[in-house]
Amino acid sequence: MRICCIGAGYVGGPTMSMIALKCADMRVDVVDINADRIRAWNSDSLPVFEPGLDDVVRQTRGKNLFFSTDVDSAIEGADIVFISVNTPTKTYGYGAGSASDLSFVESCARKIAEVSKSGKIVVEKSTMPVRTADVIKTILASTGKEFHVLSNPEFLAEGTAVSDLENPDRVLIGGDESSPEGRKAIEELASIYARWVPRERIITTNLWSSELSKLTANAFLAQRISSINSISALCEATGADIDQVARAVGADSRIGSSFLRSSIGYGGSCFQKDLLNLVYLCEHFHLPEAAAYWRAVTDMNAYQKRRFARAVLDSLFGNIRGKKLAVFGFAFKENTNDTRESPAIDICGDFLKENANLAFYDPKVSAEQIRSDLGVSAEDPRVEICTSAYEAANGAHAIVLLTHWEEFKTLDYSKIKESMCTPAWIFDGRNCLDHSRLIGLGFLVRGIGKGNLP
Ligand code: UDX
Ligand code: ADP
């Protein structure tokens, strides 16, 4: 059996590495049109930072896992082709700002149709709007060969991708359950995962249910974050503590404790895009009330980011022009180098509008990435990229913690305090520091939902 995956990104790379690890008898080719990315996958410095991923790639690369730009040959030789390319929110024309741009998916389907000498199983791995499989099917049907299209959305979270892939809550496979050929294709894919995932965790559905389940799962997770963030605003107004509320609420087994960590707002490539997709679908099918319901989740997220940036500004007497703010963390969450939709982008954008000077430190995000996300040049004197948290904080009026990196918890804050201006502020956007200890060291501290923001 030979597998090909088109798209060597945050999903395709780790997922295929895990399949290669678990299925030593299969050849897995991961292809991408981005030669730099492929070069990085073939080097010691992988383009995706994920704890444990280096090790998986080291065990498989060159044995049964291959990264290349030769898209045509990999497709031609494969029995199963995964499509794992990006599906960003459309920025132009009809549906701009909410619908997904499917041009990358469509071009993959056309490429598969063009180079395949025989029929294959084609698996949509990227999150797609419901009924995208139809687009792929229609293009492939025009070849007259026997293709089977399956939907197999990926539920891994960045930062924990390797363990999520190794031990998934479920694997979802959508396909044509009504025909024997469709069922056979579903079983062929299921049998790959069954090498390491217990059968009862492999769920099969029809295509549309699978596609919609992925959007819904992400929408529910994002909704929990927006729900707790809305309560954080109320905590600040009333003197309640959001962490205490989240703990008490999450202890109800019907509610559960995960995804109740109040923050500066969710980021990442999936939540916002999938919510907007859901809104677009509801609108498209003339369900305005359902659309407004999900739209509110994204509105709350935008509000939370704005509210935090505003609280920093207000605390510093409404004036941060020319003041140095040390920004701890830029990735959208800990243990990843990904900055897509990172709340840090909007929050720091607000600081730059006030002409603050920003000194960044993130353990994994490159200087180029930070500058590109903020839309500033390397010459912009307001933005400095540092190689340590200590360097960033030196001479700063405030520390603004935006990503929950473990190393921020164990810094020598007494030393940091000495090097900062007075009064020295810490704005903990992730509620991950020991606030009473910091107050003891002489810092002024503000968290999220701690009954203390204006
Ligand atoms: C998410 C889904 O979890 C995953 O199943 C799907 O496949 C892709 O989208 P990801 O975006 O990689 O994964 O990370 P996740 O851990 O879900 O975090 C998303 C954002 O929510 C991050 O910005 C994170 O900091 C934030 N978050 C998460 C909170 O603010 N509070 C929480 O309690 C949990
Ligand atoms: P994700 O987080 O969904 O994995 P990424 O943006 O990290 O998204 O990765 C998607 C990858 O797909 C990119 O590396 C991009 O170059 C690649 N890609 C997009 N279109 C094509 C295509 N037609 N053929 C091959 N690779 C493609």
Side-chain angles (χ1 to χ4, degrees):
M1 169 98 72
R2 277 182 68 162
I3 291 175
C4 159
C5 174
I6 311 177
Y10 283 88
V11 172
T15 311
M16 292 303 126
S17 303
M18 185 56 70
I19 291 181
L21 182 72
K22 300 294 182 183
C23 309
D25 54 325
M26 292 182 194
R27 181 186 164 112
V28 182
D29 287 287
V30 186
V31 291
D32 202 296
I33 43 177
N34 182 336
D36 286 342
R37 221 168 201 185
I38 290 298
R39 215 170 291 121
W41 278 111
N42 282 319
S43 77
D44 287 336
S45 172
L46 302 183
V48 166
F49 171 72
E50 271 297 339
L53 183 61
D54 280 7
D55 202 38
V56 177
V57 172
R58 206 173 305 119
Q59 289 181 62
T60 49
R61 194 175 57 194
K63 294 193 183 112
N64 65 328
L65 175 67
F66 301 90
F67 294 95
S68 119
T69 50
D70 191 351
V71 179
D72 294 17
S73 315
I75 295 175
E76 203 188 314
D79 306 290
I80 301 186
V81 180
F82 286 82
I83 301 179
S84 192
V85 297
N86 31 337
T87 50
T89 303
K90 250 185 114 181
T91 53
Y92 54 90
Y94 188 67
S98 57
S100 268
D101 185 342
L102 293 179
S103 53
F104 302 101
V105 174
E106 184 179 334
S107 81
C108 288
R110 288 185 188 281
K111 180 57 91 180
I112 297 168
E114 178 196 323
V115 303
S116 297
K117 297 212 171 75
S118 57
K120 300 176 190 304
I121 294 176
V122 175
V123 185
E124 42 169 32
K125 193 77 185 153
S126 326
T127 305
M128 316 270 189
V130 182
R131 300 203 80 92
T132 306
D134 255 354
V135 175
I136 303 174
K137 269 185 172 175
T138 308
I139 292 170
L140 296 177
S142 65
T143 63
K145 300 183 186 98
E146 196 190 343
F147 285 98
H148 294 285
V149 179
L150 302 176
S151 157
N152 173 219
E154 185 48 62
F155 293 100
L156 68 81
E158 290 176 29
T160 52
V162 173
S163 57
D164 292 347
L165 287 164
E166 188 126 42
N167 190 22
D169 286 348
R170 79 311 211 173
V171 167
L172 179 57
I173 302 175
D176 178 7
E177 293 176 296
S178 61
S179 73
E181 300 79 26
R183 285 196 296 274
K184 185 161 167 273
I186 293 173
E187 176 47 34
E188 216 160 304
L189 182 57
S191 70
I192 294 177
Y193 289 106
R195 304 251 191 136
W196 77 97
V197 179
R199 276 280 174 176
E200 62 275 14
R201 288 200 217 154
I202 302 177
I203 301 172
T204 60
T205 65
N206 74 31
L207 271 173
W208 330 130
S209 300
S210 170
E211 290 177 331
L212 187 57
S213 300
K214 173 67 197 251
L215 293 186
T216 307
N218 276 344
F220 272 49
L221 292 171
Q223 179 214 43
R224 285 174 71 93
I225 300 170
S226 278
S227 296
I228 201 73
N229 283 343
S230 76
I231 302 301
S232 77
L234 202 52
C235 284
E236 288 159 23
T238 58
D241 180 316
I242 194 63
D243 292 328
Q244 294 181 346
V245 174
R247 184 156 172 243
V249 171
D252 186 324
S253 61
R254 294 168 302 175
I255 296 172
S257 59
S258 53
F259 277 74
L260 289 184
R261 237 176 38 223
S262 190
S263 67
I264 44 176
Y266 60 75
S269 69
C270 286
F271 283 177
Q272 184 70 2
K273 182 184 79 181
D274 289 354
L275 278 162
L276 292 174
N277 238 314
L278 205 53
V279 169
Y280 176 78
L281 277 171
C282 294
E283 281 169 350
H284 180 79
F285 290 105
H286 309 296
L287 305 166
E289 289 82 0
Y293 178 77
W294 291 110
R295 169 82 70 189
V297 175
T298 71
D299 292 345
M300 180 52 58
N301 201 53
Y303 165 71
Q304 188 75 350
K305 290 186 274 190
R306 242 182 3 252
R307 208 166 68 78
F308 180 76
R310 184 62 199 265
V312 173
L313 178 65
D314 288 348
S315 304
L316 296 173
F317 314 116
N319 170 35
I320 53 174
R321 180 169 171 220
K323 287 182 183 166
K324 178 175 175 182
L325 307 183
V327 181
F328 283 11
F330 198 78
F332 81 95
K333 65 181 283 199
E334 65 279 19
N335 292 327
T336 177
N337 60 342
D338 195 352
T339 62
R340 287 177 291 177
E341 299 286 341
S342 177
I345 300 171
D346 286 342
I347 291 169
C348 295
D350 283 357
F351 295 156
L352 287 176
K353 280 185 208 141
E354 296 289 331
N355 279 321
N357 291 332
L358 303 179
F360 290 91
Y361 170 67
D362 185 289
K364 291 291 170 191
V365 179
S366 69
E368 297 72 42
Q369 188 64 50
I370 294 175
R371 288 206 176 90
S372 140
D373 286 335
L374 293 175
V376 300
S377 71
E379 286 74 43
D380 193 320
R382 296 172 305 167
V383 172
E384 179 192 355
I385 316 288
C386 303
T387 52
S388 78
Y390 297 101
E391 184 191 346
N394 189 24
H397 286 83
I399 291 169
V400 186
L401 187 152
L402 300 181
T403 312
H404 199 147
W405 284 102
E406 195 59 30
E407 74 169 78
F408 297 149
K409 295 188 200 164
T410 54
L411 296 170
D412 181 347
Y413 281 98
S414 156
K415 181 173 142 191
I416 286 179
K417 171 79 181 54
E418 290 302 304
S419 75
M420 288 177 66
C421 294
T422 312
W425 276 98
I426 294 194
F427 298 94
D428 181 0
R430 299 284 179 171
N431 284 349
C432 64
L433 303 178
D434 181 343
H435 293 182
S436 40
R437 197 177 144 258
L438 293 171
I439 291 166
L441 290 174
F443 281 104
L444 299 175
V445 182
R446 287 193 154 173
I448 301 267
K450 293 291 180 183
N452 52 12
L453 290 177

